[in-house]
Every structure is written in C-alpha cells, then in structure tokens.
Amino acid sequence: PLTERERERLSDELAAAGPTIDTILRRAAQSLGVLTQELGVALGPAFDQAVLQRLELVRISSERLLMVLTMTGGAVRTIFVEVKGAISEIALADVSMVLNERLAGHSLREIRGTLLDRLRDVTAPSSDAADLLNIFLQEGEQLFDVKLGANGGDVVLGQPSLLAEQPEFATGESMRRLLSLTETHQHLGDLLRGRSGGTAPGIKITIGGEHADPRLEQFTVVTAEYHAGPLTGVIGVIGPTRMPYEKVISLVSHTSRLVSDLLD
C-alpha cells in the first residue's frame, strides 16, 4: 500500500494542476513518473463517443472564431475556425442556432459522419451566414475531430529521462528503442487505446513478449482507466521488465482514482 506521504504528494500535485483535462493528465503523468521512476503516460478520453450538448461561436478576430463544444458530462473542447473575412454578430448567432438545432444530442463521431446531410438543406438568412455554413460543410470532418491538447494529439508523456537513467537502457540500441517509442505519439496512442474498455476494467499489465509489437519487447506497460463523466481514458507507466510491480500497481491505481475524482 502507498504511504500517507505518497498519497498526500499525489493529491497535492494533482490539485495544483488546474481545472482542465489537459493540465490534470499532464501533471498526473509527470507525478506518476517521478514517484515510480518510470515513464508516466496518459491517454486523453475518447471524445468520439461524447455527445454534444451545445455549441457556441465566439469571435476572436476578424479572421478567426472560437468554437466551444460542451459535451454531456461537462467536458469542454475549443477549436479555432478560420474565416476569410469579418462575420457579423447576427450571422454568428444564426449559424450557432442552426448548428445547435441540427447537431446537439449526437456524438462527435455521428456528427462527422452525417454533417453534410444534416446541413445540406439549410437556407442561410444572409451571405455572411452562408459563407460560415460553407466552412462547416467543407471542413466539418476536421473541425469535429476532437482530441486532447493544442497540437491535436491525445497522448501525454512524463519525463523520458527518468527511464533513460535505468541500466536496461544504457546501450545505444536500447536507447534508440526508447526514443523511437516516445517520439511516435501515434504508436503510443494506438497502444494505449487498445487498453481502454473491454470486459476487465482495472489494472492491466503486459510484459515483454506479451506485446504484439516487437518494439515493446524490452518494456512493461502498467495502466488503469480513469473516468471523466461518461468518457474514459488511460493512465499508467512504461518501464523495463524489471520493476517493483507491487509499488507501481498501487501508484497507478491510486492515481487513476484521483484523476477520476477530479474530472467527475
């Protein structure tokens, strides 16, 4: 079991992270890495299944709008929308109303797949509104492809340097594998997404040759799910096959519960 000092340290670190999913996961991955001396990792929640509750369009400048998506469960995402010229406030209100009428109550995956059909018969009340609706018709699939983080990625990493200091990664070949793993977020995202959901929630551990990918044969991955309302994600650590499993499992499990509590 964790010591009281470890529990307090994790609670204090996460409490200071800020109110957003992004900042909480980043602080959680970093703190988990420091306490375990492994590489802390986190996967943002699967927004594809999130149901849109309401949508707002806010003017940032004459050529840029901010689209604010509020999903059921309280998750909020913001996306920049580039426009070619100034859009009137009336047009913003008209388009916001149409988008809410046609899209609210549907998951982001449904919206991406059916956006053209949902907006095809809309008659815009002005040229400004028509121009803005045309942007959603042309770029809607990308605009509603919501992921974690400003760079569009949904994987958060702690400090790879903690792992690099371990003796298993002292050789050049081992270090290259480590760098390859941490530099390719798409690969890590695929790995972590495969550990979310299923019939056996809780701690999941895969060691060495149990991974389908040979690039992971020197690693152990220990993860647990966290919950953000109706959404789920994954948090855990990646380290060498030699690690203090009982302590790592306790830390990962406790951190997932803390993250869930903060995001509820």
Side-chain angles (χ1 to χ4, degrees):
L2 301 185
T3 65
E4 189 60 32
R5 183 177 179 183
E6 288 168 331
R7 290 174 181 273
E8 289 179 357
R9 182 174 178 181
L10 273 170
S11 295
D12 291 345
E13 287 286 333
L14 297 191
T20 68
I21 294 177
D22 310 59
T23 54
I24 289 170
L25 290 184
R26 190 167 295 109
R27 183 65 68 92
Q30 291 170 349
S31 301
L32 197 50
V34 170
L35 286 171
T36 60
Q37 290 298 292
E38 315 291 357
L39 174 63
V41 294
L43 179 73
F47 283 103
D48 259 12
Q49 298 302 323
V51 174
L52 180 66
Q53 191 172 41
R54 68 178 182 275
L55 176 155
E56 298 173 70
L57 293 173
V58 181
R59 185 192 313 283
I60 301 299
S61 69
S62 61
E63 297 184 344
R64 181 176 258 199
L65 306 176
L66 187 69
M67 180 169 66
V68 183
L69 305 177
T70 302
M71 273 75 80
T72 52
V76 177
R77 294 284 90 184
T78 56
I79 298 103
F80 287 111
V81 180
E82 305 294 336
V83 295
K84 294 180 179 178
I87 303 292
S88 70
E89 292 296 332
I90 294 176
L92 283 180
D94 289 338
V95 172
S96 295
M97 183 176 68
V98 168
L99 292 176
N100 277 294
E101 287 177 350
R102 300 297 178 99
L103 306 182
H106 299 279
S107 72
L108 297 187
R109 177 179 291 177
E110 289 177 311
I111 290 171
R112 287 204 308 275
T114 63
L115 187 64
L116 287 175
D117 291 334
R118 294 180 186 280
L119 298 181
R120 196 186 303 277
D121 64 341
V122 173
T123 301
S126 67
S127 60
D128 276 4
D131 289 342
L132 185 52
L133 277 170
N134 194 46
I135 290 174
F136 281 93
L137 286 168
Q138 293 179 351
E139 303 176 16
E141 188 171 344
Q142 291 76 36
L143 291 174
F144 288 94
D145 186 14
V146 179
K147 292 191 172 95
L148 182 78
N151 64 355
D154 53 358
V155 176
V156 177
L157 292 181
Q159 298 171 261
S161 58
L162 293 171
L163 208 53
E165 293 172 1
Q166 300 203 27
E168 284 85 351
F169 302 100
T171 66
E173 177 59 28
S174 298
M175 182 56 66
R176 279 192 293 272
R177 291 190 180 213
L178 173 60
L179 292 175
S180 172
L181 185 68
T182 57
E183 288 176 355
T184 309
H185 280 205
Q186 180 62 47
H187 174 66
L188 272 180
D190 292 342
L191 166 69
L192 295 175
R193 271 186 288 275
R195 305 171 76 85
S196 181
T199 58
I203 289 287
K204 295 183 181 178
I205 306 168
T206 46
I207 304 171
E210 294 174 0
H211 299 109
D213 193 324
R215 286 176 292 184
L216 291 164
E217 64 185 12
Q218 295 186 359
F219 298 92
T220 287
V221 182
V222 181
T223 59
E225 283 188 346
Y226 66 85
H227 300 274
L231 308 179
T232 60
V234 173
I235 190 161
V237 299
I238 298 175
T241 54
R242 172 201 57 82
M243 68 165 62
Y245 283 94
E246 290 183 351
K247 178 59 71 175
V248 168
I249 289 168
S250 293
L251 284 164
V252 170
S253 181
H254 186 68
T255 302
S256 71
R257 288 195 294 270
L258 288 176
V259 170
S260 295
D261 289 345
L262 284 170
L263 295 178
D264 251 353

